[in-house]
Amino acid sequence: YNPPPVSRPARDLRPNVLVWMLDDVGFAQIASFGGLIDTPNIDRVAAMGLRYANYHTAPICSAARASFLSGRMPHSVNLGGHAAVARPIPGYSARIPASAGTIADNLGQAGYATYALGKWDHLLASESTPAGPFSQWPTGQGFDRFYGFLAADTDNFHPALVRDTTPVPTPSQPGYHLNRDLADQAIAMIADRRIADRPRPFLMYWATGTAHAPHHAPADWIARYAGKFDMGWDAVREAILARQKSLALLPAGARLAARPDGVPAWETLSPEERRLYAHQMEVFAASLSYADAQFGRILDALETAGELDNTIVIVVSDNGASAEGSRNGMWTEALLGRGRQASLDENLAFLDR
């Protein structure tokens, strides 16, 4: 008996899944949620689908990321806090149990190609060297390929990178920026799978360090925001609230909460303070806009290849906006490890850098 051949479509019709995991981006910073930062490609995704206005997440990156990837509460995968301060007790050891298969594990077993790029910030420091073990690395958590960094952040102009489980030389080409590199790598990985006669659908977890510190953007992108935030934080809050009402994200009668204790009225600040804070916001905004532009390149590549219509695109942030820079901000986040904040004069010395 010779059974008849099984007919199957010329290509696998199961949808691709593309996740952009943002970092420390607040609800009101994205344009399609009322923010004043230009994010046309996030807005493009929002226009094609749904915006969620009541999303819940863990309040710290390691926990949020492990929870998102495993579909479980953070403590149940031993990431009740940050992996950098793990403790040898249940719920806080930063060791994801083998029983908690990730979405990459599951889709990989179903025949998907699985890729992780960018930030992987739920790994014990003692296991983040080439000596391994690699069970908690992306390639040990269900991803076929990885290209990115293993810590909470990295220098976007001179990053410390790993490909799969091997460190790669720090990029040194002129004009380099990590987010453009991550988009280049993503586009290449998606294209490479098409070498097969019947390309597999893919899961891609594209996790930029943006907009976690350090806030790095090309100078021409920073220049686009010159003067945009000179109105100050009080006026910015009012403008965003009005935009959110117009988008029906908030009810018409919503009012701003009182300004937090310790945050002065903008009009009471010195000219030097206003200059510093407005420029810091310009750089933050440019960082997010530049990352959005690189994300748009991935969408464009999918559209050109005829795959965008068959791709589930998810844009999410690990947690909300971060106040770790305190009122003055910090010219270097390394000051956090020294237990002190940067002064106004210290920051002003680095204003043009």
Side-chain angles (χ1 to χ4, degrees):
Y1 172 67
N2 294 316
V6 176
S7 63
R8 63 181 184 179
R11 64 188 182 93
D12 195 319
L13 298 178
R14 292 176 296 173
N16 306 312
V17 182
L18 170 62
V19 177
W20 182 9
M21 176 63 77
L22 287 154
D23 198 346
D24 289 359
V25 173
F27 181 81
Q29 290 169 336
I30 294 168
S32 49
F33 284 86
L36 305 184
I37 300 174
D38 296 329
T39 52
N41 293 290
I42 296 178
D43 303 346
R44 172 183 174 187
V45 172
M48 291 190 294
L50 300 171
R51 285 174 300 163
Y52 290 90
N54 191 23
Y55 180 81
H56 293 246
T57 185
I60 195 166
C61 46
S62 288
R65 290 160 188 270
S67 184
F68 181 88
L69 289 169
S70 67
R72 304 191 182 206
M73 296 296 288
H75 289 80
S76 71
V77 289
N78 293 319
L79 276 151
H82 196 284
V85 290
R87 289 167 283 167
I89 56 176
Y92 296 91
S93 68
R95 294 184 182 278
I96 300 174
S99 59
T102 66
I103 186 173
D105 279 316
N106 284 277
L107 289 183
Q109 291 181 41
Y112 272 63
T114 54
Y115 310 115
L117 298 101
K119 177 173 175 175
W120 189 263
D121 186 31
H122 48 286
L123 177 67
L124 288 167
S126 60
E127 296 185 3
S128 62
T129 74
F134 303 114
S135 60
Q136 304 286 312
W137 288 45
T139 53
Q141 294 287 305
F143 288 100
D144 298 330
R145 303 295 311 278
F146 172 64
Y147 182 83
F149 57 99
L150 299 172
D153 56 38
T154 192
D155 184 331
N156 289 279
F157 300 124
H158 304 93
L161 296 173
V162 169
R163 185 181 297 278
D164 301 329
T165 58
T166 304
V168 299
T170 299
S172 59
Q173 60 263 43
Y176 177 91
H177 192 288
L178 176 57
N179 286 340
R180 183 171 186 85
D181 188 9
L182 292 177
D184 289 343
Q185 298 289 333
I187 292 167
M189 288 181 184
I190 292 169
D192 284 349
R193 78 189 216 293
R194 299 193 194 106
I195 296 172
D197 292 337
R198 191 167 181 263
R200 294 180 290 166
F202 69 83
L203 162 69
M204 177 168 286
Y205 176 71
W206 197 70
T208 59
T210 307
H212 190 289
H215 302 144
H216 287 161
D220 58 329
W221 283 77
I222 297 172
R224 298 182 186 198
Y225 284 96
K228 184 163 184 176
F229 301 100
D230 287 356
M231 69 183 83
W233 49 56
D234 292 319
V236 164
R237 293 178 77 211
E238 294 285 357
I240 292 173
L241 178 66
R243 291 182 62 162
Q244 290 181 328
K245 289 180 179 180
S246 71
L247 293 168
L249 289 167
L250 292 177
R255 293 181 296 174
L256 288 173
R259 190 188 304 107
D261 292 341
V263 178
W266 184 262
E267 63 183 16
T268 67
L269 299 178
S270 69
E272 291 78 12
E273 288 174 314
R274 295 186 194 186
R275 179 170 170 245
L276 174 67
Y277 303 156
H279 184 62
Q280 287 172 337
M281 189 61 198
E282 291 166 8
V283 176
F284 177 93
S287 300
L288 183 53
S289 284
Y290 184 72
D292 177 87
Q294 305 316 307
F295 175 62
R297 293 176 54 229
I298 301 174
L299 298 180
D300 290 345
L302 287 169
E303 189 168 42
T304 299
E307 292 199 77
L308 185 58
D309 286 346
N310 194 40
T311 300
I312 298 170
V313 183
I314 300 166
V315 181
V316 65
S317 183
D318 59 350
N319 40 257
S322 172
E324 63 199 9
S326 188
R327 174 178 157 183
N328 285 326
M330 290 183 182
W331 64 273
T332 172
E333 195 190 16
L335 294 178
L336 278 176
R338 304 177 200 173
R340 74 175 187 86
Q341 306 291 339
S343 69
L344 177 71
D345 288 340
E346 283 178 305
N347 282 330
L348 283 171
F350 289 91
L351 191 67
D352 60 349
R353 284 174 281 173

